[in-house]
mmCIF file of all heavy atoms in Angstrom:
data_model
loop_
_atom_site.group_PDB
_atom_site.id
_atom_site.type_symbol
_atom_site.label_atom_id
_atom_site.label_comp_id
_atom_site.label_asym_id
_atom_site.label_seq_id
_atom_site.Cartn_x
_atom_site.Cartn_y
_atom_site.Cartn_z
ATOM 1 N N ILE A 1482 7.027 -86.173 -28.598
ATOM 2 C CA ILE A 1482 6.968 -84.910 -29.356
ATOM 3 C C ILE A 1482 5.795 -84.069 -28.979
ATOM 4 O O ILE A 1482 4.707 -84.538 -29.115
ATOM 5 C CB ILE A 1482 6.916 -85.213 -30.886
ATOM 6 C CG1 ILE A 1482 8.067 -86.148 -31.290
ATOM 7 C CG2 ILE A 1482 6.973 -83.929 -31.703
ATOM 8 C CD1 ILE A 1482 7.892 -86.664 -32.697
ATOM 9 N N LEU A 1483 6.060 -82.863 -28.460
ATOM 10 C CA LEU A 1483 5.030 -82.031 -27.986
ATOM 11 C C LEU A 1483 5.159 -80.681 -28.598
ATOM 12 O O LEU A 1483 6.176 -80.102 -28.710
ATOM 13 C CB LEU A 1483 5.141 -81.829 -26.453
ATOM 14 C CG LEU A 1483 5.072 -83.074 -25.598
ATOM 15 C CD1 LEU A 1483 5.325 -82.735 -24.140
ATOM 16 C CD2 LEU A 1483 3.691 -83.758 -25.721
ATOM 17 N N LEU A 1484 4.004 -80.168 -29.081
ATOM 18 C CA LEU A 1484 3.912 -78.832 -29.671
ATOM 19 C C LEU A 1484 2.973 -77.972 -28.839
ATOM 20 O O LEU A 1484 1.829 -78.360 -28.601
ATOM 21 C CB LEU A 1484 3.339 -78.905 -31.108
ATOM 22 C CG LEU A 1484 2.740 -77.641 -31.755
ATOM 23 C CD1 LEU A 1484 3.820 -76.575 -31.923
ATOM 24 C CD2 LEU A 1484 2.057 -77.982 -33.076
ATOM 25 N N GLU A 1485 3.461 -76.894 -28.325
ATOM 26 C CA GLU A 1485 2.642 -76.059 -27.380
ATOM 27 C C GLU A 1485 2.638 -74.560 -27.827
ATOM 28 O O GLU A 1485 3.639 -74.025 -28.266
ATOM 29 C CB GLU A 1485 3.209 -76.157 -25.997
ATOM 30 C CG GLU A 1485 2.423 -75.337 -24.911
ATOM 31 C CD GLU A 1485 3.020 -75.495 -23.537
ATOM 32 O OE1 GLU A 1485 3.647 -76.498 -23.259
ATOM 33 O OE2 GLU A 1485 2.752 -74.572 -22.750
ATOM 34 N N GLY A 1486 1.484 -73.912 -27.675
ATOM 35 C CA GLY A 1486 1.356 -72.512 -27.974
ATOM 36 C C GLY A 1486 -0.037 -72.059 -27.685
ATOM 37 O O GLY A 1486 -0.926 -72.818 -27.262
ATOM 38 N N ASN A 1487 -0.391 -70.832 -28.039
ATOM 39 C CA ASN A 1487 -1.685 -70.278 -27.742
ATOM 40 C C ASN A 1487 -2.697 -70.766 -28.789
ATOM 41 O O ASN A 1487 -2.354 -71.219 -29.877
ATOM 42 C CB ASN A 1487 -1.674 -68.770 -27.678
ATOM 43 C CG ASN A 1487 -1.357 -68.133 -29.030
ATOM 44 O OD1 ASN A 1487 -1.043 -68.776 -30.023
ATOM 45 N ND2 ASN A 1487 -1.408 -66.820 -29.063
ATOM 46 N N ALA A 1488 -3.950 -70.769 -28.447
ATOM 47 C CA ALA A 1488 -5.047 -71.058 -29.309
ATOM 48 C C ALA A 1488 -6.233 -70.131 -28.891
ATOM 49 O O ALA A 1488 -6.759 -70.288 -27.823
ATOM 50 C CB ALA A 1488 -5.498 -72.527 -29.185
ATOM 51 N N VAL A 1489 -6.568 -69.240 -29.804
ATOM 52 C CA VAL A 1489 -7.427 -68.106 -29.420
ATOM 53 C C VAL A 1489 -8.681 -68.084 -30.255
ATOM 54 O O VAL A 1489 -8.653 -68.172 -31.458
ATOM 55 C CB VAL A 1489 -6.683 -66.733 -29.621
ATOM 56 C CG1 VAL A 1489 -7.540 -65.588 -29.122
ATOM 57 C CG2 VAL A 1489 -5.310 -66.807 -28.821
ATOM 58 N N VAL A 1490 -9.879 -67.954 -29.598
ATOM 59 C CA VAL A 1490 -11.096 -67.706 -30.325
ATOM 60 C C VAL A 1490 -11.272 -66.192 -30.497
ATOM 61 O O VAL A 1490 -11.259 -65.400 -29.492
ATOM 62 C CB VAL A 1490 -12.328 -68.301 -29.531
ATOM 63 C CG1 VAL A 1490 -13.620 -67.973 -30.279
ATOM 64 C CG2 VAL A 1490 -12.166 -69.784 -29.226
ATOM 65 N N VAL A 1491 -11.434 -65.755 -31.751
ATOM 66 C CA VAL A 1491 -11.513 -64.329 -31.970
ATOM 67 C C VAL A 1491 -12.898 -63.884 -32.429
ATOM 68 O O VAL A 1491 -13.230 -62.737 -32.332
ATOM 69 C CB VAL A 1491 -10.512 -63.870 -33.084
ATOM 70 C CG1 VAL A 1491 -9.073 -64.127 -32.550
ATOM 71 C CG2 VAL A 1491 -10.718 -64.573 -34.348
ATOM 72 N N ALA A 1492 -13.747 -64.840 -32.915
ATOM 73 C CA ALA A 1492 -15.071 -64.455 -33.371
ATOM 74 C C ALA A 1492 -15.907 -65.751 -33.495
ATOM 75 O O ALA A 1492 -15.400 -66.834 -33.646
ATOM 76 C CB ALA A 1492 -15.052 -63.683 -34.658
ATOM 77 N N GLU A 1493 -17.232 -65.566 -33.426
ATOM 78 C CA GLU A 1493 -18.125 -66.635 -33.768
ATOM 79 C C GLU A 1493 -19.407 -66.068 -34.437
ATOM 80 O O GLU A 1493 -19.707 -64.889 -34.311
ATOM 81 C CB GLU A 1493 -18.525 -67.420 -32.513
ATOM 82 C CG GLU A 1493 -19.195 -66.605 -31.418
ATOM 83 C CD GLU A 1493 -19.473 -67.420 -30.179
ATOM 84 O OE1 GLU A 1493 -19.063 -68.593 -30.048
ATOM 85 O OE2 GLU A 1493 -20.206 -66.858 -29.291
ATOM 86 N N GLY A 1494 -20.089 -66.903 -35.157
ATOM 87 C CA GLY A 1494 -21.290 -66.407 -35.855
ATOM 88 C C GLY A 1494 -21.781 -67.442 -36.848
ATOM 89 O O GLY A 1494 -21.673 -68.697 -36.541
ATOM 90 N N GLU A 1495 -22.425 -67.034 -37.921
ATOM 91 C CA GLU A 1495 -23.011 -67.985 -38.881
ATOM 92 C C GLU A 1495 -22.515 -67.637 -40.287
ATOM 93 O O GLU A 1495 -22.557 -66.447 -40.715
ATOM 94 C CB GLU A 1495 -24.524 -67.873 -38.849
ATOM 95 C CG GLU A 1495 -25.075 -68.416 -37.537
ATOM 96 C CD GLU A 1495 -26.653 -68.226 -37.486
ATOM 97 O OE1 GLU A 1495 -27.116 -67.259 -38.127
ATOM 98 O OE2 GLU A 1495 -27.312 -69.141 -36.880
ATOM 99 N N LEU A 1496 -22.040 -68.616 -41.008
ATOM 100 C CA LEU A 1496 -21.711 -68.463 -42.399
ATOM 101 C C LEU A 1496 -22.978 -68.585 -43.242
ATOM 102 O O LEU A 1496 -23.821 -69.507 -42.993
ATOM 103 C CB LEU A 1496 -20.755 -69.490 -42.830
ATOM 104 C CG LEU A 1496 -19.342 -69.488 -42.156
ATOM 105 C CD1 LEU A 1496 -18.591 -70.747 -42.469
ATOM 106 C CD2 LEU A 1496 -18.493 -68.256 -42.566
ATOM 107 N N LEU A 1497 -23.213 -67.713 -44.197
ATOM 108 C CA LEU A 1497 -24.398 -67.630 -44.952
ATOM 109 C C LEU A 1497 -24.062 -68.168 -46.371
ATOM 110 O O LEU A 1497 -23.112 -67.803 -47.018
ATOM 111 C CB LEU A 1497 -24.934 -66.245 -45.113
ATOM 112 C CG LEU A 1497 -25.164 -65.523 -43.779
ATOM 113 C CD1 LEU A 1497 -25.724 -64.094 -43.997
ATOM 114 C CD2 LEU A 1497 -26.132 -66.248 -42.888
ATOM 115 N N SER A 1498 -24.851 -69.098 -46.852
ATOM 116 C CA SER A 1498 -24.619 -69.769 -48.127
ATOM 117 C C SER A 1498 -24.631 -68.738 -49.260
ATOM 118 O O SER A 1498 -23.962 -68.921 -50.251
ATOM 119 C CB SER A 1498 -25.663 -70.910 -48.377
ATOM 120 O OG SER A 1498 -26.996 -70.350 -48.381
#
Side-chain angles (χ1 to χ4, degrees):
I1482 304 168
L1483 302 174
L1484 162 65
E1485 181 180 336
N1487 67 355
V1489 184
V1490 179
V1491 297
E1493 60 182 8
E1495 294 177 326
L1496 296 169
L1497 308 180
S1498 59

